[in-house]
Amino acid sequence: MDTRERLIQSTRELLWERGYVGTSPKAILERAGAGQGSMYHHFHGKPDLALAAISRSAADLRERAEAEFTGSGTVVERITAYLTRERDALKGCPVGRLTQDPDVMADPELRKPVEETFDWLTDRLAELLAQARANGELTAGLDPAATATALVAVLQGGYVLARAAGSAAVYARAVDGALDLLTGHVRRR
């Protein structure tokens, strides 16, 4: 991994762990094992590097989700695979945690990839749910947009509840509850 990539990866990790204010250039350089001038050689400063890191985290989230969404199985099975894949519930979502960072949310450039990612995720889930409703897999009474929004909210809220309780089991219960609600709309054939 070259210096630029090490800087981005280190910033991603630090933003996830400490937030924007807690991610100092010194900490980034130490974690990346990079020299003092390297950050400014590759980036225009901390905001530019943070944007690259946030954008990379957002792209990774979308890529991993899309891999589940385009996998094999029924739509409900693919959504279930996405919701139940292994996650570090106590660490939280690397993108979702940024919504709680006032410095990220106050900066339109830093906020943009966060907002776009959750818009994409909600829209993508709504598309899948609409497809499942259209093909008869889910009942006609299911509202794809509302259900997609609820599923994203359950994931993000599950992280918050798990961190508050200090237990990943709380996150798993939230996902199980969402799946129970979703599978209640599966048409029996």
Side-chain angles (χ1 to χ4, degrees):
M1 191 181 311
D2 67 11
T3 302
R4 184 179 193 284
E5 288 302 311
R6 287 195 324 269
L7 288 166
I8 291 171
Q9 184 59 33
S10 296
T11 304
R12 288 177 66 189
E13 293 167 3
L14 289 164
L15 286 170
W16 195 4
E17 295 166 11
R18 302 178 184 181
Y20 186 79
V21 170
T23 300
S24 68
K26 180 180 179 183
I28 294 167
L29 293 171
E30 285 176 5
R31 183 159 302 187
Q36 206 166 23
S38 62
M39 184 169 95
Y40 299 99
H41 172 73
H42 295 285
F43 301 96
H44 295 278
K46 180 181 168 183
D48 188 38
L49 176 53
L51 179 59
I54 293 167
S55 296
R56 180 74 55 81
S57 291
D60 283 355
L61 185 150
R62 289 190 305 271
E63 184 179 311
R64 290 189 68 198
E66 190 60 26
E68 300 291 347
F69 296 155
T70 58
S72 62
T74 67
V75 171
V76 172
E77 288 169 345
R78 288 181 275 150
I79 291 172
T80 299
Y82 168 71
L83 294 174
T84 60
R85 79 165 181 238
E86 188 172 328
R87 292 174 166 90
D88 187 346
L90 296 180
K91 197 168 180 184
C93 173
V95 178
R97 294 234 359 224
L98 295 170
T99 64
Q100 299 170 17
D101 190 316
D103 295 291
V104 172
M105 293 295 98
D107 183 318
E109 290 298 312
L110 296 178
R111 179 190 177 123
K112 186 177 181 181
V114 175
E115 185 176 355
E116 288 175 345
T117 297
F118 285 118
D119 287 346
W120 174 87
L121 181 59
T122 304
D123 290 347
R124 188 68 177 98
L125 282 165
E127 288 172 16
L128 289 167
L129 292 165
Q131 174 189 351
R133 191 176 70 177
N135 72 20
E137 184 181 341
L138 293 171
T139 64
L142 178 118
D143 179 336
T147 303
T149 302
L151 292 175
V152 173
V154 165
L155 284 180
Q156 294 304 312
Y159 285 126
V160 171
L161 295 175
R163 287 174 57 84
S167 171
V170 176
Y171 176 87
R173 274 198 313 271
V175 169
D176 289 345
L179 287 172
D180 284 347
L181 294 171
L182 179 62
T183 58
H185 283 277
V186 171
R187 285 189 184 220
R188 307 297 173 215
R189 297 176 190 221

